Amino acid sequence: MNAAARSRTVSSERDVLDPNTLGPGVTVRDRSIDRFALAHDASHYLLVPDVVLAPKSADDVARVLRAASAARRAVTFRSGGTSLSGQGVTGDVLVDGRAAFQRISVEDDGHRVRVEPGVTVRQTNARLMRHGRKLGPDPASEIACTIGGVIANNSSGMACGIAQNAYRTLESMTLVLASGTVIDTSAPDADTRLRDLEPDVHSGLARLRDSLRADSVAVAEIRRQYAMKNTMGYGLNAFLDFDLPVDILTHLVVGSEGTLAFVAEAVFRTVELLPYAATGLAVFASLHDAMEALPQLVATGLATIELMDARSLRVAQQQSDCPPSVADLDVAGHAALLLEFQTRTSDDLAATQRSASEVFAALRTTRPVTLSTDPTQRSALWHTRKGLYTTIAGARPSGTTALLEDIAVPVGQMLSTCEALLRMFDRHGYEDSVIFGHAKDGNIHFMLTERFDDPSSLARYERFTAELVEIVLAHGGTLKAEHGTGRTMAPFVRRQFGDILYEVMLAVKSMCDPAGILNPGVVLSDDPTSYLRNLKVVPTVETEVDRCVECGYCEPTCPSRTLTLTPRQRIVLRRDIAAARGRGDEELASELLDDYEYDGVQTCAVDGMCGTACPVDINTGDLVRRLRAGSRSTLEQNASAVLAQSWSTVTRAGASAMSIAAALPPRLPAVATKLARALLGPETVPLYDAGLPRGGRARPRSGSGGRPVEFVYFSACITTMFGADDGTHGVSAALLALCDRAGVGWSVPANLRGLCCGTPWKSKGFSLGYSRMTETVLPALLAASDGGRLPIVCDAASCTEGLETMRRLAVDAGGSFEALRFVDAVQFAHDRILPMLAVTSPFASITVHTTCSTAQLGIDSALISIARAIATDVHVPVDWGCCAFAGDRGLLHPELTAAATAAEAAEVRAAMAHEHVSANRTCEIGMSRATGFSYRHVIEALERATR
């Protein structure tokens, strides 16, 4: 039975969940596109929820749980969706804990942080960084994984081990129990409140505590199990580590994967951020030699020791940017350990390295071990380690699912365990599987790619899993170290812990969730084959879609994430549409397609930021642009080519229209555009508002004259379309004034006014117009730059990026434009002009909005550096994101920009800086609209500060 049908069957067997009992704070999402979009997570399981609920507070969650209990409905909590073991999917009621629950409060000078479950680890650490602190858990998915998931899975990571994981660093929580009872475990009377409101839970926990402590064999087994990373079952060590039932409950909830309670808020004790690091690679002739060296290496105090086996090294060598230290290896049976020291000061780092040098010298490595403090070299090594998942997952055959598994064994058992795994891979035909992991903790990761639409492959996976369980438990290990039990290993918890401790876990579940409504089938299961059901089948669809591993790393970067869909959701819905068609469900496919037009296509900013976060290098904007192109008629494509050929006239007409509209009473153009949008559609006619500027001035026709030419100036057409807010000539005049002061000569290409970077055509899917503009622009710039000798400087970051994209695509198509060099005006001003000038009128404070294009061009640091040179205080918002103005997207769909900028705008308004700068005219308009402050190009601010 398919997942959609299964979810409806589950629903039909239960009572209807009455929305009227949920209260006004709970948003009900029951469109098919909403249910299917949130059905997918990073695991290899797929269940489609019957309904998605988005509560805003702990009291809202309490009402949801009471209503679900009354209706006999199962409830699963979902936040970041990075979980790998199936703990975030359901065929019943899905509660979205990410839509709200976004507060972060840094306390005690950063030594504590109060967080709600919807915020990510990266967001939290960004606020703690200024205090020199961070969260203890350091999962690799920190860009996307939320605090709710960190607690639910008892996250650890590369460096924190078990000393600084979620369990050890958590101080208190606000819990919503299955009954709807809300308990703040930090309150002085929390234990009394638990006893009064939940007497069965309180007395049951006390009884289990006493019986376990009286059983010396059970105590010894619990201590053994949790001496290593272990996320199997419930954390029974809580009964030994804490006395009060409320504290035991608090720590049982850690790692319980939403099966015991909902976490509405948590307080963590933070750890010191160690800013100095040295990283290097120790290469051994064999896995045996590498494992033999572990005890000596651990004794040196290394923060991380990351294992890469021979297969991992061969995979790493396939990476285009593989560093020489790996690329030069002639890999046979080699293994490598990635080593890193982290210290408080540079002196401490130097001393630590000196003390470890004798140990390194004595290792049986194939070459001397050297550690580097150079950020570039360190980053390259870490990219190689983290890129193993990328390389394998991205290159997997279409239609297969990627499974990233993890186990842990005592460090002394690592060698024999790894060797056994390698034999298993060969025996079961998993030829591309690799072993890597956190060697210091005995934590082994391995990756498989499997097809779950083929019975023989499914049988192979079942045989492999059975053998894996035998091997890991025979080596005294745990079947899940840090990815959570989930559905994957729920049937094997009894096997790992034995009957007595398993019965304790069942008792914990029964007393906390007597109706069994919280995430059933997760953590505990007495069905030995439950892990083989609801497996994800991945249909072949499109290039971007087929590569996606559904990890969700892209989601926090997406401008539309709180309005419509995220990149992951845009991709998985394409899979769902294909799957619906494949089984003949045209009604569902049509319903999804109808809603996808607005949610998936119209409200995508195509800013490409998703690609910067994606572990398999997918730019979902490419998919959306292709979908837009596919919807364009021949007439529209031809019209776009005509516009490209008369672009000078079009831009001046647009500028004149902006100036005329600005001169009229604001209501008139606003009403006119609303009527036109009603007639022609919101994708055709931009929406005018009174905050838009007048038109800008025409682009220059000639260069500076009288000085040696240092660059070709490509003034962007958006500076012609949109003038400066204060009526000045904007960035163009400012840049040229700065060049005059610095004595820098410049020229312009012939027919500059008719040239464009092509982004307006490319982003809208007008492929013919884009081709025509490419055929005009690149030859003109090649001639103007003397065959590429001179750099081409552009004064709008999105246009600089657009020109580089145009060049790259043309080269890929066989064009001879490799010599062209594009430099953004921000970088040029930072490198060439700023050192030549004195700051005479510094600003008291500046807020900087970096853009998606400055990020992708790698010039954020130059932008911020200019701001720091001309202002006493510089504020770079922690809640930064793409403004989603995206050329004219913010005019066509202003709701997109409003949603994308909401968090950053609130932070900017609170900062109350004197000046607000960015590096792109449309982004400046979008941020001005969002914040109420006037944003200008940083070049304009630089010009004013150096007069």
Side-chain angles (χ1 to χ4, degrees):
M1 186 183 296
N2 63 66
R6 182 164 50 247
S7 72
R8 291 170 189 150
T9 301
V10 169
S11 174
S12 66
E13 294 172 351
R14 305 181 184 199
D15 296 336
V16 175
L17 189 66
D18 183 1
N20 295 320
T21 65
L22 302 178
V26 180
T27 301
V28 179
R29 303 178 193 152
D30 54 5
R31 296 186 306 160
S32 291
I33 196 168
D34 296 323
R35 297 186 300 107
F36 277 82
L38 278 170
H40 297 257
D41 67 1
S43 76
H44 50 287
Y45 293 92
L46 178 62
L47 284 161
V48 181
D50 185 63
V51 66
V52 177
L53 304 178
K56 294 182 174 65
S57 68
D59 290 338
D60 291 338
V61 175
R63 281 190 290 273
V64 167
L65 293 178
R66 285 193 288 267
S69 183
R72 296 176 296 153
R73 303 294 295 271
V75 176
T76 295
F77 305 116
R78 163 73 178 271
S79 52
T82 61
S83 297
L84 292 159
S85 303
Q87 51 267 66
V89 296
T90 180
D92 208 326
V93 178
L94 186 69
V95 173
D96 182 358
R98 186 176 59 176
F101 299 100
Q102 290 286 323
R103 285 190 290 271
I104 305 173
S105 176
V106 177
E107 301 174 354
D108 193 16
D109 195 27
H111 284 75
R112 285 176 177 77
V113 62
R114 185 179 302 273
V115 281
E116 291 188 333
V119 302
T120 66
V121 170
R122 177 170 290 186
Q123 286 176 298
T124 307
N125 282 339
R127 285 163 174 78
L128 290 170
M129 185 180 297
R130 65 191 64 171
H131 301 278
R133 310 288 294 181
K134 69 181 187 70
L135 289 171
D138 59 339
S141 58
E142 51 93 23
I143 186 176
C145 70
T146 61
I147 295 299
V150 165
I151 295 171
N153 296 320
N154 188 19
S155 292
S156 50
M158 294 197 179
C160 77
I162 59 173
Q164 296 179 344
N165 62 8
Y167 177 91
R168 294 295 179 190
T169 57
L170 183 83
E171 187 168 279
S172 66
M173 291 190 282
T174 297
L175 299 174
V176 185
L177 303 185
S179 62
T181 296
V182 180
I183 299 285
D184 178 359
T185 69
S186 70
D189 63 343
D191 194 66
T192 301
R193 181 173 170 80
L194 179 65
R195 183 194 64 198
D196 294 344
L197 295 178
E198 300 283 347
D200 291 344
V201 174
H202 189 277
S203 62
L205 291 173
R207 185 171 59 253
L208 289 173
R209 174 199 64 200
D210 295 342
S211 64
L212 277 176
R213 291 181 177 184
D215 186 338
S216 60
V217 175
V219 169
E221 179 61 12
I222 291 172
R223 294 296 189 204
R224 184 191 73 81
Q225 290 273 356
Y226 296 100
M228 57 187 162
K229 285 186 178 181
N230 187 352
T231 58
M232 279 287 280
Y234 295 127
L236 298 185
N237 48 337
F239 288 106
L240 308 185
D241 296 338
F242 301 94
D243 297 322
L244 293 179
V246 73
D247 293 329
I248 294 171
L249 176 62
T250 297
H251 289 82
L252 281 169
V253 168
V254 178
S256 67
E257 301 173 23
T259 63
L260 300 181
F262 175 78
V263 179
E265 183 182 80
V267 178
F268 283 91
R269 295 181 298 276
T270 63
V271 302
E272 185 177 7
L273 177 63
L274 301 175
Y276 293 89
T279 311
L281 199 67
V283 180
F284 298 85
S286 67
L287 186 63
H288 179 275
D289 289 349
M291 294 299 97
E292 189 177 61
L294 264 181
Q296 303 98 288
L297 290 171
V298 169
T300 65
L302 283 158
T304 58
I305 306 175
E306 294 293 301
L307 168 67
M308 291 183 283
D309 74 341
R311 299 188 195 198
S312 296
L313 293 171
R314 282 192 285 268
V315 165
Q317 289 176 332
Q318 299 172 23
Q319 299 170 7
S320 60
D321 53 356
C322 181
S325 57
V326 177
D328 294 343
L329 288 174
D330 184 11
V331 180
H334 292 73
L337 297 174
L338 179 60
L339 313 176
E340 182 167 282
F341 286 115
Q342 298 173 3
T343 64
R344 184 179 295 113
T345 68
S346 58
D347 289 343
D348 289 344
L349 184 61
T352 300
Q353 290 192 80
R354 282 195 300 272
S355 66
S357 59
E358 290 186 13
V359 173
F360 290 167
L363 297 176
R364 295 170 58 189
T365 55
T366 60
R367 61 192 181 198
V369 178
T370 58
L371 272 59
S372 173
T373 59
D374 178 73
T376 301
Q377 294 183 35
R378 292 183 55 244
S379 177
L381 286 171
W382 277 113
H383 180 73
T384 297
R385 159 62 179 86
K386 295 178 180 179
L388 295 174
Y389 178 78
T390 303
T391 306
I392 300 170
R396 76 191 190 284
S398 177
T400 61
T401 300
L403 290 75
L404 182 62
E405 293 293 355
D406 83 308
I407 59 173
V409 295
V411 172
Q413 296 293 319
M414 276 197 71
L415 174 61
S416 58
T417 304
C418 289
E419 290 175 338
L421 285 173
L422 291 171
R423 290 192 294 269
M424 279 179 61
F425 296 152
D426 292 336
R427 190 159 51 248
H428 293 281
Y430 289 117
E431 297 175 356
D432 296 327
S433 298
V434 299
I435 292 176
F436 54 96
H438 317 311
K440 182 167 65 77
D441 302 310
N443 184 187
I444 303 167
H445 294 315
F446 59 90
M447 187 170 174
L448 312 175
T449 58
E450 186 59 279
R451 301 191 70 98
F452 292 125
D453 57 352
D454 172 43
S456 63
S457 296
L458 183 60
R460 173 175 69 164
Y461 174 64
E462 183 177 10
R463 292 192 301 272
F464 177 87
T465 302
E467 189 172 348
L468 174 69
V469 171
E470 292 287 345
I471 287 174
V472 173
L473 297 185
H475 285 84
T478 176
L479 296 166
K480 282 292 180 181
E482 55 183 8
H483 293 171
T485 310
R487 299 174 185 275
T488 308
M489 287 296 166
F492 305 103
V493 175
R494 182 188 291 271
R495 179 82 174 279
Q496 178 170 319
F497 283 89
D499 289 342
I500 292 175
L501 295 183
Y502 187 73
E503 291 298 324
V504 173
M505 293 183 187
L506 288 175
V508 168
K509 172 65 173 175
S510 178
M511 69 178 65
C512 291
D513 180 22
I517 66 168
L518 296 182
N519 216 4
V522 170
V523 178
L524 304 178
S525 174
D526 282 327
D527 180 348
T529 62
S530 61
Y531 74 101
L532 296 172
R533 288 196 290 277
N534 307 312
L535 293 168
K536 188 181 292 179
V537 176
V538 182
T540 298
V541 186
E542 292 140 337
T543 302
E544 296 86 359
V545 173
D546 295 346
R547 293 211 324 275
C548 179
V549 294
E550 302 183 13
C551 65
Y553 285 19
C554 56
E555 293 189 326
T557 69
C558 180
S560 63
R561 65 188 181 277
T562 63
L563 178 67
T564 51
L565 298 174
T566 68
R568 167 168 61 180
Q569 292 166 352
R570 286 183 169 89
I571 284 176
V572 298
L573 284 166
R574 300 291 295 172
R575 285 179 174 163
D576 291 327
I577 292 166
R581 284 176 167 164
R583 60 177 179 263
D585 193 345
E586 288 297 331
E587 180 182 355
L588 175 60
S590 296
E591 182 185 351
L592 292 174
L593 274 171
D594 287 346
D595 287 329
Y596 195 87
E597 177 59 26
Y598 174 77
D599 288 28
V601 178
Q602 292 183 20
T603 54
C604 177
V606 296
D607 62 342
M609 288 303 291
C610 50
T612 65
C614 177
V616 292
D617 301 320
I618 299 172
N619 180 348
T620 312
D622 291 339
L623 168 65
V624 171
R625 279 187 285 263
R626 197 163 59 249
L627 294 175
R628 289 174 182 170
S631 69
R632 301 301 184 190
S633 67
T634 301
L635 180 62
E636 289 176 311
Q637 291 287 6
N638 289 333
S640 77
V642 172
L643 285 176
Q645 291 168 329
S646 54
W647 191 237
S648 176
T649 302
V650 172
T651 55
R652 289 311 302 153
S656 298
M658 293 294 296
S659 295
I660 292 169
L664 293 172
R667 190 170 181 274
L668 292 181
V671 169
T673 56
K674 285 180 181 178
L675 290 173
R677 284 164 68 87
L679 290 172
L680 302 175
E683 276 293 285
T684 304
V685 181
L687 181 64
Y688 181 84
D689 69 53
L692 290 171
R694 304 173 73 89
R697 71 172 183 174
R699 294 191 276 179
R701 290 186 184 275
S702 60
S704 56
R707 298 191 191 96
V709 174
E710 295 189 29
F711 70 95
V712 176
Y713 180 34
F714 190 98
S715 177
C717 47
I718 58 172
T719 64
T720 290
M721 298 282 281
F722 302 107
D725 288 345
D726 58 5
T728 65
H729 292 308
V731 62
S732 179
L735 178 61
L736 299 184
L738 288 168
C739 287
D740 285 342
R741 286 180 207 160
V744 175
W746 50 276
S747 64
V748 296
N751 189 31
L752 172 60
R753 296 182 181 185
L755 305 182
C756 177
C757 69
T759 300
W761 289 267
K762 188 171 186 289
S763 65
K764 294 175 180 294
F766 291 122
S767 52
L768 185 56
Y770 187 71
S771 295
R772 294 288 170 81
M773 187 56 76
T774 300
E775 292 164 2
T776 301
V777 170
L778 294 183
L781 295 183
L782 194 62
S785 65
D786 191 17
R789 181 180 63 83
L790 296 172
I792 297 154
V793 175
C794 182
D795 56 14
S798 64
C799 301
T800 309
E801 183 191 3
L803 289 167
E804 175 55 31
T805 299
M806 179 184 280
R807 184 202 68 81
R808 176 175 50 79
L809 292 174
V811 170
D812 290 346
S816 301
F817 301 105
E818 296 91 341
L820 287 174
R821 292 179 294 137
F822 298 105
V823 180
D824 191 78
V826 169
Q827 190 70 57
F828 184 80
H830 176 271
D831 296 345
R832 179 67 181 89
I833 297 176
L834 182 60
M836 305 292 292
L837 303 176
V839 176
T840 56
S841 303
F843 298 96
S845 58
I846 283 182
T847 288
V848 179
H849 172 74
T850 56
T851 75
C852 55
S853 293
T854 60
Q856 296 193 61
L857 291 169
I859 62 171
D860 282 350
S861 58
L863 172 57
I864 296 167
S865 180
I866 292 175
R868 286 177 174 155
I870 61 176
T872 304
D873 178 59
V874 174
H875 178 67
V876 182
V878 172
D879 283 321
W880 171 84
C882 170
C883 70
F885 209 85
D888 64 354
R889 191 66 28 186
L891 298 176
L892 296 169
H893 296 288
E895 71 276 15
L896 175 60
T897 295
T901 57
E904 182 178 357
E907 187 179 345
V908 169
R909 286 191 290 268
M912 292 294 291
H914 291 80
E915 184 79 2
H916 299 78
V917 301
S918 189
N920 205 74
R921 187 68 194 107
T922 51
C923 300
E924 293 152 23
I925 295 170
M927 289 307 300
S928 297
R929 175 189 285 177
T931 65
F933 297 116
S934 180
Y935 275 73
R936 71 181 72 245
H937 200 291
V938 71
I939 297 291
E940 296 176 67
L942 176 62
E943 189 277 328
R944 180 177 295 183
T946 57
R947 286 178 184 172

